[in-house]
Short mmCIF file of all heavy atoms in Angstrom, two decimals:
data_model
loop_
_atom_site.label_atom_id
_atom_site.label_comp_id
_atom_site.label_asym_id
_atom_site.label_seq_id
_atom_site.Cartn_x
_atom_site.Cartn_y
_atom_site.Cartn_z
N ILE A 1 -2.00 -4.67 -9.80
CA ILE A 1 -0.98 -3.82 -9.23
C ILE A 1 -1.66 -2.87 -8.23
O ILE A 1 -2.63 -2.20 -8.57
CB ILE A 1 -0.27 -3.00 -10.32
CG1 ILE A 1 0.23 -3.89 -11.45
CG2 ILE A 1 0.85 -2.18 -9.72
CD1 ILE A 1 1.19 -4.96 -11.04
N ASN A 2 -1.15 -2.82 -7.01
CA ASN A 2 -1.80 -2.09 -5.92
C ASN A 2 -1.08 -0.81 -5.51
O ASN A 2 -1.37 -0.24 -4.46
CB ASN A 2 -1.94 -3.01 -4.71
CG ASN A 2 -2.64 -4.29 -5.05
OD1 ASN A 2 -1.99 -5.32 -5.15
ND2 ASN A 2 -3.93 -4.25 -5.27
N THR A 3 -0.17 -0.33 -6.34
CA THR A 3 0.65 0.83 -5.98
C THR A 3 -0.21 2.04 -5.64
O THR A 3 0.02 2.70 -4.61
CB THR A 3 1.61 1.19 -7.13
OG1 THR A 3 2.37 0.04 -7.48
CG2 THR A 3 2.55 2.31 -6.73
N LYS A 4 -1.19 2.36 -6.45
CA LYS A 4 -1.98 3.58 -6.23
C LYS A 4 -2.73 3.55 -4.92
O LYS A 4 -2.77 4.55 -4.20
CB LYS A 4 -2.94 3.81 -7.40
CG LYS A 4 -2.24 4.32 -8.62
CD LYS A 4 -3.22 4.70 -9.71
CE LYS A 4 -2.45 5.24 -10.91
NZ LYS A 4 -3.35 5.72 -11.95
N ILE A 5 -3.35 2.43 -4.57
CA ILE A 5 -4.12 2.37 -3.32
C ILE A 5 -3.20 2.37 -2.11
O ILE A 5 -3.50 2.97 -1.09
CB ILE A 5 -5.11 1.18 -3.30
CG1 ILE A 5 -6.07 1.30 -2.13
CG2 ILE A 5 -4.40 -0.14 -3.27
CD1 ILE A 5 -7.01 2.46 -2.19
N ILE A 6 -2.04 1.74 -2.21
CA ILE A 6 -1.07 1.77 -1.11
C ILE A 6 -0.55 3.19 -0.92
O ILE A 6 -0.49 3.70 0.21
CB ILE A 6 0.08 0.77 -1.35
CG1 ILE A 6 -0.45 -0.67 -1.29
CG2 ILE A 6 1.20 0.98 -0.33
CD1 ILE A 6 0.54 -1.72 -1.75
N LYS A 7 -0.20 3.86 -2.02
CA LYS A 7 0.26 5.25 -1.93
C LYS A 7 -0.83 6.15 -1.37
O LYS A 7 -0.55 7.07 -0.59
CB LYS A 7 0.71 5.76 -3.29
CG LYS A 7 2.07 5.23 -3.69
CD LYS A 7 2.53 5.85 -5.01
CE LYS A 7 3.93 5.42 -5.37
NZ LYS A 7 4.39 6.06 -6.61
N PHE A 8 -2.08 5.91 -1.74
CA PHE A 8 -3.19 6.71 -1.23
C PHE A 8 -3.31 6.54 0.28
O PHE A 8 -3.48 7.53 1.01
CB PHE A 8 -4.51 6.30 -1.91
CG PHE A 8 -5.69 7.05 -1.38
CD1 PHE A 8 -5.97 8.33 -1.83
CD2 PHE A 8 -6.54 6.48 -0.45
CE1 PHE A 8 -7.05 9.04 -1.33
CE2 PHE A 8 -7.62 7.18 0.05
CZ PHE A 8 -7.89 8.46 -0.39
N ALA A 9 -3.22 5.31 0.77
CA ALA A 9 -3.31 5.05 2.21
C ALA A 9 -2.13 5.70 2.95
O ALA A 9 -2.31 6.31 4.01
CB ALA A 9 -3.35 3.56 2.49
N LEU A 10 -0.93 5.60 2.38
CA LEU A 10 0.24 6.24 2.99
C LEU A 10 0.09 7.76 3.01
O LEU A 10 0.43 8.41 4.00
CB LEU A 10 1.52 5.83 2.25
CG LEU A 10 1.93 4.37 2.39
CD1 LEU A 10 3.04 4.04 1.42
CD2 LEU A 10 2.33 4.04 3.82
N TYR A 11 -0.42 8.32 1.93
CA TYR A 11 -0.64 9.77 1.85
C TYR A 11 -1.66 10.22 2.90
O TYR A 11 -1.47 11.25 3.55
CB TYR A 11 -1.11 10.15 0.45
CG TYR A 11 -1.43 11.62 0.30
CD1 TYR A 11 -0.40 12.55 0.16
CD2 TYR A 11 -2.73 12.07 0.32
CE1 TYR A 11 -0.68 13.90 0.04
CE2 TYR A 11 -3.03 13.42 0.20
CZ TYR A 11 -2.00 14.33 0.06
OH TYR A 11 -2.29 15.67 -0.04
N ALA A 12 -2.73 9.43 3.07
CA ALA A 12 -3.75 9.78 4.07
C ALA A 12 -3.14 9.81 5.47
O ALA A 12 -3.46 10.70 6.27
CB ALA A 12 -4.91 8.79 4.00
N CYS A 13 -2.27 8.87 5.77
CA CYS A 13 -1.60 8.86 7.06
C CYS A 13 -0.69 10.07 7.20
O CYS A 13 -0.64 10.70 8.26
CB CYS A 13 -0.78 7.58 7.23
SG CYS A 13 -1.77 6.09 7.43
N THR A 14 0.03 10.40 6.15
CA THR A 14 0.93 11.56 6.17
C THR A 14 0.14 12.84 6.44
O THR A 14 0.53 13.68 7.25
CB THR A 14 1.69 11.69 4.84
OG1 THR A 14 2.47 10.50 4.64
CG2 THR A 14 2.61 12.89 4.82
N GLU A 15 -0.98 12.99 5.75
CA GLU A 15 -1.82 14.17 5.93
C GLU A 15 -2.38 14.24 7.35
O GLU A 15 -2.60 15.33 7.88
CB GLU A 15 -2.96 14.18 4.91
CG GLU A 15 -2.50 14.49 3.50
CD GLU A 15 -1.89 15.88 3.39
OE1 GLU A 15 -2.57 16.86 3.73
OE2 GLU A 15 -0.73 15.98 2.96
N ALA A 16 -2.62 13.08 7.96
CA ALA A 16 -3.14 13.05 9.33
C ALA A 16 -2.05 13.33 10.37
O ALA A 16 -2.34 13.56 11.53
CB ALA A 16 -3.78 11.69 9.61
N GLY A 17 -0.80 13.29 9.94
CA GLY A 17 0.31 13.56 10.85
C GLY A 17 1.02 12.31 11.33
O GLY A 17 2.15 12.36 11.78
N ASP A 18 0.34 11.18 11.25
CA ASP A 18 0.94 9.89 11.57
C ASP A 18 -0.07 8.79 11.23
O ASP A 18 -1.20 9.07 10.87
CB ASP A 18 1.36 9.78 13.04
CG ASP A 18 0.19 9.80 14.01
OD1 ASP A 18 -0.96 9.95 13.57
OD2 ASP A 18 0.43 9.65 15.21
N GLY A 19 0.36 7.55 11.34
CA GLY A 19 -0.56 6.46 11.09
C GLY A 19 0.16 5.20 10.68
O GLY A 19 1.39 5.16 10.60
N ARG A 20 -0.62 4.20 10.42
CA ARG A 20 -0.10 2.88 10.08
C ARG A 20 -0.95 2.29 8.98
O ARG A 20 -2.17 2.24 9.08
CB ARG A 20 -0.17 2.00 11.32
CG ARG A 20 0.29 0.60 11.13
CD ARG A 20 -0.13 -0.22 12.33
NE ARG A 20 1.00 -0.91 12.91
CZ ARG A 20 0.88 -1.81 13.84
NH1 ARG A 20 -0.29 -2.09 14.35
NH2 ARG A 20 1.93 -2.42 14.30
N VAL A 21 -0.31 1.84 7.92
CA VAL A 21 -0.99 1.14 6.84
C VAL A 21 -0.72 -0.35 7.06
O VAL A 21 0.43 -0.77 7.22
CB VAL A 21 -0.47 1.58 5.45
CG1 VAL A 21 -1.11 0.74 4.35
CG2 VAL A 21 -0.77 3.06 5.23
N ILE A 22 -1.79 -1.13 7.11
CA ILE A 22 -1.68 -2.57 7.38
C ILE A 22 -2.00 -3.34 6.11
O ILE A 22 -3.03 -3.11 5.47
CB ILE A 22 -2.65 -2.99 8.50
CG1 ILE A 22 -2.32 -2.24 9.78
CG2 ILE A 22 -2.57 -4.50 8.72
CD1 ILE A 22 -3.32 -2.48 10.89
N ILE A 23 -1.14 -4.28 5.77
CA ILE A 23 -1.37 -5.17 4.64
C ILE A 23 -1.59 -6.56 5.21
O ILE A 23 -0.74 -7.10 5.91
CB ILE A 23 -0.18 -5.14 3.66
CG1 ILE A 23 -0.09 -3.74 3.05
CG2 ILE A 23 -0.33 -6.22 2.60
CD1 ILE A 23 1.01 -3.56 2.07
N SER A 24 -2.75 -7.13 4.91
CA SER A 24 -3.06 -8.47 5.42
C SER A 24 -3.93 -9.23 4.44
O SER A 24 -4.48 -8.66 3.50
CB SER A 24 -3.77 -8.36 6.77
OG SER A 24 -5.04 -7.77 6.61
N ASN A 25 -4.04 -10.52 4.65
CA ASN A 25 -4.95 -11.39 3.90
C ASN A 25 -4.85 -11.27 2.39
O ASN A 25 -5.82 -10.96 1.72
CB ASN A 25 -6.41 -11.14 4.32
CG ASN A 25 -6.65 -11.48 5.76
OD1 ASN A 25 -5.96 -12.32 6.33
ND2 ASN A 25 -7.61 -10.84 6.37
N GLY A 26 -3.68 -11.48 1.85
CA GLY A 26 -3.58 -11.48 0.40
C GLY A 26 -2.18 -11.19 -0.09
O GLY A 26 -1.26 -10.94 0.69
N ILE A 27 -2.06 -11.22 -1.40
CA ILE A 27 -0.79 -10.92 -2.06
C ILE A 27 -0.99 -9.62 -2.83
O ILE A 27 -1.92 -9.49 -3.61
CB ILE A 27 -0.38 -12.05 -3.01
CG1 ILE A 27 -0.18 -13.34 -2.21
CG2 ILE A 27 0.89 -11.68 -3.77
CD1 ILE A 27 0.06 -14.56 -3.07
N TYR A 28 -0.11 -8.66 -2.59
CA TYR A 28 -0.20 -7.34 -3.21
C TYR A 28 1.09 -7.06 -3.97
O TYR A 28 2.17 -7.43 -3.53
CB TYR A 28 -0.40 -6.26 -2.14
CG TYR A 28 -1.61 -6.52 -1.29
CD1 TYR A 28 -1.52 -7.33 -0.16
CD2 TYR A 28 -2.84 -6.00 -1.64
CE1 TYR A 28 -2.63 -7.59 0.61
CE2 TYR A 28 -3.96 -6.26 -0.87
CZ TYR A 28 -3.85 -7.06 0.25
OH TYR A 28 -4.95 -7.32 1.02
N MET A 29 0.97 -6.42 -5.10
CA MET A 29 2.14 -6.01 -5.88
C MET A 29 2.16 -4.49 -5.89
O MET A 29 1.13 -3.84 -6.03
CB MET A 29 2.05 -6.52 -7.31
CG MET A 29 2.18 -8.00 -7.44
SD MET A 29 2.17 -8.49 -9.15
CE MET A 29 3.93 -8.61 -9.39
N SER A 30 3.37 -3.94 -5.76
CA SER A 30 3.49 -2.48 -5.74
C SER A 30 4.79 -2.05 -6.38
O SER A 30 5.81 -2.73 -6.27
CB SER A 30 3.43 -1.97 -4.30
OG SER A 30 3.59 -0.57 -4.27
N GLY A 31 4.74 -0.90 -7.02
CA GLY A 31 5.95 -0.24 -7.48
C GLY A 31 6.56 0.50 -6.30
O GLY A 31 6.26 0.19 -5.14
N ASN A 32 7.38 1.48 -6.58
CA ASN A 32 8.05 2.24 -5.52
C ASN A 32 7.05 2.95 -4.63
O ASN A 32 6.10 3.56 -5.11
CB ASN A 32 8.98 3.28 -6.12
CG ASN A 32 10.12 2.66 -6.89
OD1 ASN A 32 10.43 1.49 -6.70
ND2 ASN A 32 10.74 3.43 -7.76
N ILE A 33 7.28 2.87 -3.32
CA ILE A 33 6.50 3.62 -2.35
C ILE A 33 7.49 4.34 -1.44
O ILE A 33 8.61 3.89 -1.23
CB ILE A 33 5.53 2.73 -1.53
CG1 ILE A 33 6.29 1.58 -0.86
CG2 ILE A 33 4.42 2.20 -2.41
CD1 ILE A 33 5.44 0.74 0.06
N ILE A 34 7.05 5.46 -0.90
CA ILE A 34 7.90 6.26 -0.02
C ILE A 34 7.20 6.40 1.32
O ILE A 34 6.06 6.85 1.39
CB ILE A 34 8.18 7.64 -0.62
CG1 ILE A 34 8.93 7.49 -1.94
CG2 ILE A 34 8.96 8.51 0.36
CD1 ILE A 34 9.08 8.77 -2.72
N LEU A 35 7.90 6.00 2.37
CA LEU A 35 7.36 6.15 3.72
C LEU A 35 7.84 7.48 4.29
O LEU A 35 9.02 7.80 4.24
CB LEU A 35 7.82 5.01 4.62
CG LEU A 35 7.36 3.62 4.22
CD1 LEU A 35 7.95 2.58 5.16
CD2 LEU A 35 5.85 3.53 4.23
N LYS A 36 6.91 8.25 4.82
CA LYS A 36 7.24 9.54 5.42
C LYS A 36 7.41 9.37 6.93
O LYS A 36 7.07 8.33 7.50
CB LYS A 36 6.12 10.55 5.14
CG LYS A 36 5.82 10.75 3.68
CD LYS A 36 6.88 11.57 3.02
CE LYS A 36 6.47 11.82 1.57
NZ LYS A 36 7.25 12.82 0.92
N ILE A 37 7.88 10.42 7.57
CA ILE A 37 8.08 10.41 9.01
C ILE A 37 6.73 10.15 9.70
O ILE A 37 5.70 10.70 9.32
CB ILE A 37 8.68 11.75 9.48
CG1 ILE A 37 10.08 11.90 8.90
CG2 ILE A 37 8.70 11.85 11.00
CD1 ILE A 37 10.70 13.25 9.14
N ASN A 38 6.76 9.32 10.73
CA ASN A 38 5.59 8.97 11.55
C ASN A 38 4.55 8.12 10.82
O ASN A 38 3.41 8.03 11.27
CB ASN A 38 4.93 10.21 12.15
CG ASN A 38 5.83 10.93 13.10
OD1 ASN A 38 6.63 10.31 13.81
ND2 ASN A 38 5.75 12.25 13.13
N VAL A 39 4.90 7.53 9.70
CA VAL A 39 3.99 6.64 8.98
C VAL A 39 4.64 5.26 8.91
O VAL A 39 5.80 5.13 8.54
CB VAL A 39 3.68 7.16 7.56
CG1 VAL A 39 2.83 6.18 6.79
CG2 VAL A 39 3.00 8.52 7.63
N ASN A 40 3.90 4.23 9.31
CA ASN A 40 4.41 2.87 9.34
C ASN A 40 3.67 2.00 8.34
O ASN A 40 2.46 2.15 8.14
CB ASN A 40 4.23 2.26 10.73
CG ASN A 40 5.03 2.99 11.77
OD1 ASN A 40 6.24 3.02 11.70
ND2 ASN A 40 4.35 3.58 12.73
N LEU A 41 4.40 1.08 7.74
CA LEU A 41 3.81 0.07 6.86
C LEU A 41 3.98 -1.27 7.58
O LEU A 41 5.10 -1.70 7.86
CB LEU A 41 4.53 0.04 5.51
CG LEU A 41 4.04 -1.01 4.51
CD1 LEU A 41 2.59 -0.75 4.13
CD2 LEU A 41 4.92 -1.01 3.28
N HIS A 42 2.87 -1.89 7.92
CA HIS A 42 2.88 -3.15 8.66
C HIS A 42 2.33 -4.26 7.77
O HIS A 42 1.23 -4.14 7.23
CB HIS A 42 2.03 -3.02 9.92
CG HIS A 42 1.95 -4.27 10.72
ND1 HIS A 42 2.98 -4.71 11.52
CD2 HIS A 42 0.97 -5.19 10.81
CE1 HIS A 42 2.63 -5.85 12.08
NE2 HIS A 42 1.42 -6.16 11.67
N ILE A 43 3.10 -5.33 7.62
CA ILE A 43 2.66 -6.48 6.83
C ILE A 43 2.41 -7.63 7.79
O ILE A 43 3.33 -8.12 8.45
CB ILE A 43 3.71 -6.86 5.77
CG1 ILE A 43 3.99 -5.66 4.86
CG2 ILE A 43 3.23 -8.06 4.95
CD1 ILE A 43 5.15 -5.85 3.92
N GLU A 44 1.15 -8.06 7.88
CA GLU A 44 0.79 -9.14 8.79
C GLU A 44 1.21 -10.49 8.22
O GLU A 44 1.58 -10.59 7.05
CB GLU A 44 -0.72 -9.11 9.06
CG GLU A 44 -1.13 -7.87 9.84
CD GLU A 44 -2.59 -7.89 10.24
OE1 GLU A 44 -3.38 -8.63 9.63
OE2 GLU A 44 -2.93 -7.15 11.18
N GLU A 45 1.13 -11.52 9.05
CA GLU A 45 1.51 -12.87 8.63
C GLU A 45 0.75 -13.34 7.39
O GLU A 45 1.29 -14.10 6.58
CB GLU A 45 1.24 -13.87 9.77
CG GLU A 45 2.24 -13.80 10.88
CD GLU A 45 1.97 -14.87 11.93
OE1 GLU A 45 1.41 -15.94 11.58
OE2 GLU A 45 2.31 -14.64 13.09
N THR A 46 -0.48 -12.91 7.26
CA THR A 46 -1.32 -13.35 6.15
C THR A 46 -1.17 -12.48 4.90
O THR A 46 -1.83 -12.72 3.90
CB THR A 46 -2.80 -13.38 6.56
OG1 THR A 46 -3.17 -12.07 7.01
CG2 THR A 46 -3.05 -14.40 7.66
N GLY A 47 -0.33 -11.46 4.99
CA GLY A 47 -0.15 -10.55 3.86
C GLY A 47 1.23 -10.68 3.25
O GLY A 47 2.21 -10.98 3.92
N VAL A 48 1.29 -10.44 1.94
CA VAL A 48 2.54 -10.47 1.19
C VAL A 48 2.59 -9.23 0.31
O VAL A 48 1.62 -8.93 -0.39
CB VAL A 48 2.66 -11.74 0.32
CG1 VAL A 48 3.91 -11.71 -0.53
CG2 VAL A 48 2.60 -12.99 1.17
N LEU A 49 3.70 -8.51 0.34
CA LEU A 49 3.89 -7.35 -0.53
C LEU A 49 5.06 -7.65 -1.46
O LEU A 49 6.18 -7.84 -1.01
CB LEU A 49 4.17 -6.09 0.29
CG LEU A 49 4.39 -4.81 -0.52
CD1 LEU A 49 3.15 -4.47 -1.35
CD2 LEU A 49 4.74 -3.66 0.41
N LEU A 50 4.76 -7.71 -2.75
CA LEU A 50 5.77 -7.99 -3.76
C LEU A 50 6.16 -6.69 -4.44
O LEU A 50 5.30 -5.88 -4.79
CB LEU A 50 5.24 -8.97 -4.80
CG LEU A 50 4.78 -10.33 -4.28
CD1 LEU A 50 4.13 -11.13 -5.41
CD2 LEU A 50 5.95 -11.09 -3.71
N GLY A 51 7.45 -6.49 -4.65
CA GLY A 51 7.92 -5.33 -5.37
C GLY A 51 7.78 -5.54 -6.87
O GLY A 51 7.90 -6.64 -7.37
N PHE A 52 7.51 -4.46 -7.57
CA PHE A 52 7.33 -4.50 -9.02
C PHE A 52 7.98 -3.26 -9.59
O PHE A 52 7.71 -2.16 -9.11
CB PHE A 52 5.83 -4.52 -9.33
CG PHE A 52 5.47 -5.19 -10.61
CD1 PHE A 52 5.42 -6.56 -10.69
CD2 PHE A 52 5.19 -4.45 -11.73
CE1 PHE A 52 5.06 -7.20 -11.87
CE2 PHE A 52 4.84 -5.07 -12.92
CZ PHE A 52 4.77 -6.45 -12.98
N PRO A 53 8.85 -3.39 -10.59
CA PRO A 53 9.52 -2.20 -11.13
C PRO A 53 8.53 -1.20 -11.73
O PRO A 53 7.66 -1.57 -12.49
CB PRO A 53 10.45 -2.75 -12.20
CG PRO A 53 10.16 -4.18 -12.34
CD PRO A 53 9.21 -4.60 -11.26
N ASP A 54 8.66 0.06 -11.35
CA ASP A 54 7.75 1.11 -11.84
C ASP A 54 7.78 1.24 -13.36
O ASP A 54 6.79 1.63 -13.96
CB ASP A 54 8.07 2.45 -11.21
CG ASP A 54 7.40 2.64 -9.86
OD1 ASP A 54 6.49 1.85 -9.55
OD2 ASP A 54 7.78 3.55 -9.13
N CYS A 55 8.90 0.95 -13.97
CA CYS A 55 8.96 1.12 -15.43
C CYS A 55 7.98 0.18 -16.13
O CYS A 55 7.49 0.47 -17.21
CB CYS A 55 10.37 0.87 -15.94
SG CYS A 55 11.01 -0.77 -15.60
N VAL A 56 7.63 -0.92 -15.48
CA VAL A 56 6.69 -1.86 -16.08
C VAL A 56 5.25 -1.46 -15.79
O VAL A 56 4.36 -1.66 -16.61
CB VAL A 56 6.95 -3.29 -15.54
CG1 VAL A 56 5.92 -4.28 -16.07
CG2 VAL A 56 8.35 -3.74 -15.91
N VAL A 57 4.99 -0.88 -14.63
CA VAL A 57 3.62 -0.58 -14.24
C VAL A 57 3.21 0.86 -14.53
O VAL A 57 2.11 1.26 -14.20
CB VAL A 57 3.38 -0.87 -12.74
CG1 VAL A 57 3.55 -2.34 -12.46
CG2 VAL A 57 4.25 -0.02 -11.87
N LYS A 58 4.06 1.63 -15.15
CA LYS A 58 3.72 3.02 -15.46
C LYS A 58 2.42 3.07 -16.25
O LYS A 58 2.22 2.32 -17.19
CB LYS A 58 4.85 3.67 -16.25
CG LYS A 58 4.67 5.16 -16.42
CD LYS A 58 5.86 5.77 -17.10
CE LYS A 58 5.66 7.26 -17.24
NZ LYS A 58 6.79 7.89 -17.87
N ASN A 59 1.52 3.93 -15.82
CA ASN A 59 0.20 4.11 -16.45
C ASN A 59 -0.73 2.91 -16.27
O ASN A 59 -1.74 2.81 -16.95
CB ASN A 59 0.33 4.44 -17.94
CG ASN A 59 1.07 5.74 -18.15
OD1 ASN A 59 0.90 6.67 -17.39
ND2 ASN A 59 1.89 5.78 -19.17
N THR A 60 -0.41 2.00 -15.38
CA THR A 60 -1.30 0.87 -15.09
C THR A 60 -2.23 1.26 -13.97
O THR A 60 -1.80 1.80 -12.97
CB THR A 60 -0.49 -0.37 -14.68
OG1 THR A 60 0.38 -0.70 -15.74
CG2 THR A 60 -1.40 -1.56 -14.39
N VAL A 61 -3.50 0.97 -14.11
CA VAL A 61 -4.47 1.30 -13.08
C VAL A 61 -4.88 0.03 -12.38
O VAL A 61 -5.20 -0.98 -13.02
CB VAL A 61 -5.71 1.98 -13.71
CG1 VAL A 61 -6.76 2.27 -12.65
CG2 VAL A 61 -5.31 3.26 -14.43
N SER A 62 -4.89 0.05 -11.06
CA SER A 62 -5.33 -1.11 -10.30
C SER A 62 -6.80 -1.36 -10.59
O SER A 62 -7.61 -0.45 -10.59
CB SER A 62 -5.12 -0.86 -8.80
OG SER A 62 -5.54 -1.97 -8.07
N LYS A 63 -7.16 -2.60 -10.82
CA LYS A 63 -8.53 -2.93 -11.19
C LYS A 63 -9.45 -3.10 -10.00
O LYS A 63 -10.65 -3.17 -10.15
CB LYS A 63 -8.53 -4.20 -12.05
CG LYS A 63 -7.87 -3.96 -13.37
CD LYS A 63 -7.99 -5.12 -14.29
CE LYS A 63 -7.28 -4.75 -15.58
NZ LYS A 63 -7.37 -5.65 -16.61
N ARG A 64 -8.89 -3.21 -8.81
CA ARG A 64 -9.76 -3.36 -7.66
C ARG A 64 -9.10 -2.73 -6.44
O ARG A 64 -7.90 -2.67 -6.34
CB ARG A 64 -10.07 -4.82 -7.37
CG ARG A 64 -8.88 -5.63 -6.96
CD ARG A 64 -9.27 -7.09 -6.76
NE ARG A 64 -8.10 -7.87 -6.47
CZ ARG A 64 -7.68 -8.15 -5.25
NH1 ARG A 64 -8.34 -7.73 -4.21
NH2 ARG A 64 -6.60 -8.87 -5.06
N LEU A 65 -9.92 -2.25 -5.55
CA LEU A 65 -9.43 -1.73 -4.28
C LEU A 65 -9.65 -2.82 -3.26
O LEU A 65 -10.74 -3.36 -3.13
CB LEU A 65 -10.20 -0.47 -3.88
CG LEU A 65 -10.13 0.68 -4.86
CD1 LEU A 65 -10.95 1.85 -4.35
CD2 LEU A 65 -8.69 1.11 -5.09
N ASN A 66 -8.62 -3.17 -2.53
CA ASN A 66 -8.74 -4.28 -1.59
C ASN A 66 -9.14 -3.76 -0.22
O ASN A 66 -8.58 -2.81 0.29
CB ASN A 66 -7.42 -5.04 -1.52
CG ASN A 66 -7.62 -6.39 -0.94
OD1 ASN A 66 -8.07 -6.50 0.18
ND2 ASN A 66 -7.31 -7.41 -1.69
N SER A 67 -10.08 -4.42 0.39
CA SER A 67 -10.60 -3.98 1.68
C SER A 67 -9.66 -4.29 2.83
O SER A 67 -9.97 -4.01 3.97
CB SER A 67 -11.96 -4.63 1.93
OG SER A 67 -11.81 -6.04 1.96
N TYR A 68 -8.52 -4.88 2.56
CA TYR A 68 -7.60 -5.23 3.63
C TYR A 68 -6.51 -4.19 3.84
O TYR A 68 -5.53 -4.44 4.49
CB TYR A 68 -6.97 -6.60 3.38
CG TYR A 68 -8.00 -7.69 3.40
CD1 TYR A 68 -8.38 -8.32 2.23
CD2 TYR A 68 -8.61 -8.06 4.58
CE1 TYR A 68 -9.34 -9.31 2.25
CE2 TYR A 68 -9.56 -9.05 4.61
CZ TYR A 68 -9.92 -9.68 3.44
OH TYR A 68 -10.86 -10.66 3.47
N LEU A 69 -6.64 -3.01 3.25
CA LEU A 69 -5.71 -1.91 3.48
C LEU A 69 -6.38 -0.88 4.37
O LEU A 69 -7.43 -0.38 4.03
CB LEU A 69 -5.31 -1.26 2.16
CG LEU A 69 -4.48 -2.11 1.21
CD1 LEU A 69 -4.30 -1.36 -0.11
CD2 LEU A 69 -3.13 -2.44 1.80
N TRP A 70 -5.77 -0.57 5.48
CA TRP A 70 -6.35 0.41 6.39
C TRP A 70 -5.33 1.46 6.76
O TRP A 70 -4.14 1.18 6.80
CB TRP A 70 -6.81 -0.24 7.70
CG TRP A 70 -7.86 -1.24 7.56
CD1 TRP A 70 -9.18 -1.03 7.34
CD2 TRP A 70 -7.70 -2.66 7.63
NE1 TRP A 70 -9.85 -2.22 7.29
CE2 TRP A 70 -8.96 -3.24 7.46
CE3 TRP A 70 -6.61 -3.50 7.84
CZ2 TRP A 70 -9.17 -4.61 7.49
CZ3 TRP A 70 -6.81 -4.86 7.86
CH2 TRP A 70 -8.07 -5.39 7.70
N CYS A 71 -5.79 2.61 7.09
CA CYS A 71 -4.94 3.64 7.68
C CYS A 71 -5.61 4.10 8.95
O CYS A 71 -6.78 4.48 8.93
CB CYS A 71 -4.76 4.82 6.73
SG CYS A 71 -3.72 6.10 7.40
N PHE A 72 -4.93 4.02 10.07
CA PHE A 72 -5.50 4.50 11.33
C PHE A 72 -4.42 5.06 12.21
O PHE A 72 -3.27 4.91 11.98
CB PHE A 72 -6.28 3.40 12.05
CG PHE A 72 -5.48 2.22 12.43
CD1 PHE A 72 -4.86 2.15 13.66
CD2 PHE A 72 -5.35 1.14 11.57
CE1 PHE A 72 -4.13 1.04 14.02
CE2 PHE A 72 -4.62 0.03 11.93
CZ PHE A 72 -4.00 -0.02 13.15
#
């Protein structure tokens, strides 16, 4: 489950005032995420983002950080 790292990247963009989080090269699962003003979530052709209900992933920690998430 990649919710925490996706939220972290989105938060970093928010704190910077704007930015874009790119998802590519893989399949990612995430619970609820909130996009703020001036922050974009871009999913490339090679990336897949699957929704996952938060009630199931509550207190779940992602086991790996994927190098294909960027904020710039």
Side-chain angles (χ1 to χ4, degrees):
I1 308 301
N2 306 105
T3 306
K4 285 187 178 184
I5 191 66
I6 293 170
K7 283 184 176 182
F8 178 80
L10 292 169
Y11 177 78
C13 290
T14 300
E15 288 297 304
D18 67 357
R20 178 193 234 189
V21 175
I22 300 173
I23 294 180
S24 67
N25 297 333
I27 299 173
Y28 303 87
M29 292 184 97
S30 178
N32 295 341
I33 54 174
I34 298 172
L35 297 177
K36 303 285 184 167
I37 295 172
N38 296 326
V39 176
N40 296 297
L41 178 63
H42 178 77
I43 302 172
E44 293 186 340
E45 285 183 28
T46 57
V48 176
L49 180 61
L50 301 173
F52 208 79
D54 276 346
C55 60
V56 176
V57 296
K58 189 175 181 180
N59 298 322
T60 300
V61 177
S62 180
K63 293 187 180 185
R64 65 183 176 94
L65 300 179
N66 198 301
S67 61
Y68 296 108
L69 293 174
W70 298 284
C71 180
F72 61 91

